[in-house]
Amino acid sequence: MDRDLVVAYTALHGVGGVHVQRAFAEAGLPHLHVVAAQFQPDGEFPTVRFPNPEEPGAMDLVLALAKDVNADLVLANDPDADRLAMAYRAGDGRYVMLTGNEIGVLLGHHRIVDDPQPAKERLAITTIVSSPQLGQMAAELGVQYAETLTGFKWIANTALREFERSGVQFVFGYEEALGSSTSTVVRDKDGVGAAVVAARLAAHCKQQGQTLGDRLDGISQQFGVWSSSQHNATYPGAAGAETIGRMMRGLRAQLPWKVGDAEVLAVRDWQRGVKLLAGGGEQPLGDMPASNVLTFDLVGGDRIVARPDRKSTRLNSSHIPLSRM
């Protein structure tokens, strides 16, 4: 039963606490063990250096609580509760943090396979900087798939304008920065709804004697192994924004056609809307608004994505290699 699950949760001094508690109660999920020191909204964020669950140290208190209560699942919202971070207890008792791409794959697979919708045609969406694994799963499971620019306004608009009006049912969307949409109730990323779906998935796995890591392994065995990592370079303030702008202009001025020992086959410049080929020439990327993003497609199926993050003046780069088992 779902109530056998033990969950540790933190709101990180944000607004999610009471809403996640209420959502869990209405969904018949277990009572949350909460980090009391981070439960009430507090704009000073006194217990963390920066209230982003991706930042080092932000999850320390909830992970300590998880050890104390022997939690199966660890959840954290960011302060405005539109994103969800997750960790699970592995078989050896360690707590393993999941990446945004791993969370997206787990929740997407759960929504498609364990929680099927009655509609004949279903839709899953992610962004151009997220792992393509969701698309691989969707293709093999008979679900329509789309990629958009980063930002949930694009995911919601794509679901509404291009698909739902023709009778296709949106079932899941995510971006690698911990944002997910698990239903059509909220037309944006929703950390509260994602927390409910995550708990149901973890409970389902526990009933089967699995961890979330076991579920990921099973997905990899069926759909191939996809791995990703992210590097954030932070440059504060207006000067930082100019530095990042200069870095992106520099990349475009002198495109690298080799990264380490790997050859670059093509560069997709989403600002210009073109795909630049290593041997010369270019191809249009299709009908998508301009965005300051560069994607480097490498020999062997790997790719590197470079993009500025306007909210925190960061340059994010993600490396997403693929191998099929």
Side-chain angles (χ1 to χ4, degrees), residues 9-174:
Y9 169 79
T10 180
L12 282 183
H13 300 292
V15 300
V18 295
H19 302 292
V20 172
Q21 283 185 330
R22 179 178 176 182
F24 268 49
E26 292 186 2
L29 291 165
H31 174 74
L32 295 168
H33 296 272
V34 303
V35 178
Q38 296 176 331
F39 189 78
Q40 296 299 328
D42 186 342
E44 296 297 324
F45 308 111
T47 67
V48 292
R49 185 180 65 85
F50 191 76
N52 177 353
E54 295 176 296
E55 292 289 329
M59 298 285 289
D60 287 355
L61 291 184
V62 73
L63 289 171
L65 173 64
K67 292 177 183 177
D68 288 342
V69 301
N70 201 30
D72 304 294
L73 178 67
V74 181
L75 301 176
N77 287 134
D78 63 337
D80 58 355
D82 63 355
R83 298 192 298 144
L84 180 74
M86 294 171 54
Y88 68 91
R89 190 180 71 237
D92 59 4
R94 293 180 304 111
Y95 284 94
V96 180
M97 288 295 302
L98 295 166
T99 68
N101 281 320
E102 289 171 334
I103 293 170
V105 166
L106 280 167
L107 298 187
H109 183 267
H110 177 57
R111 289 284 292 142
I112 292 170
V113 174
D114 301 322
D115 190 18
Q117 300 295 309
K120 180 182 293 186
E121 296 293 336
R122 294 179 292 161
L123 169 69
I125 307 177
T126 190
T127 70
I128 60 173
V129 302
S130 302
S131 171
Q133 187 171 13
L134 181 65
Q136 182 71 44
M137 287 195 308
E140 296 190 27
L141 293 171
V143 174
Q144 292 196 40
Y145 171 75
E147 290 186 2
T148 73
L149 297 178
T150 56
F152 263 77
K153 66 178 180 181
W154 301 113
I155 290 177
N157 285 343
T158 299
L160 283 168
R161 291 186 317 193
E162 300 180 27
F163 289 92
E164 287 191 357
R165 291 177 182 175
S166 61
V168 177
Q169 176 65 48
F170 169 78
V171 293
F172 183 72
Y174 93 96

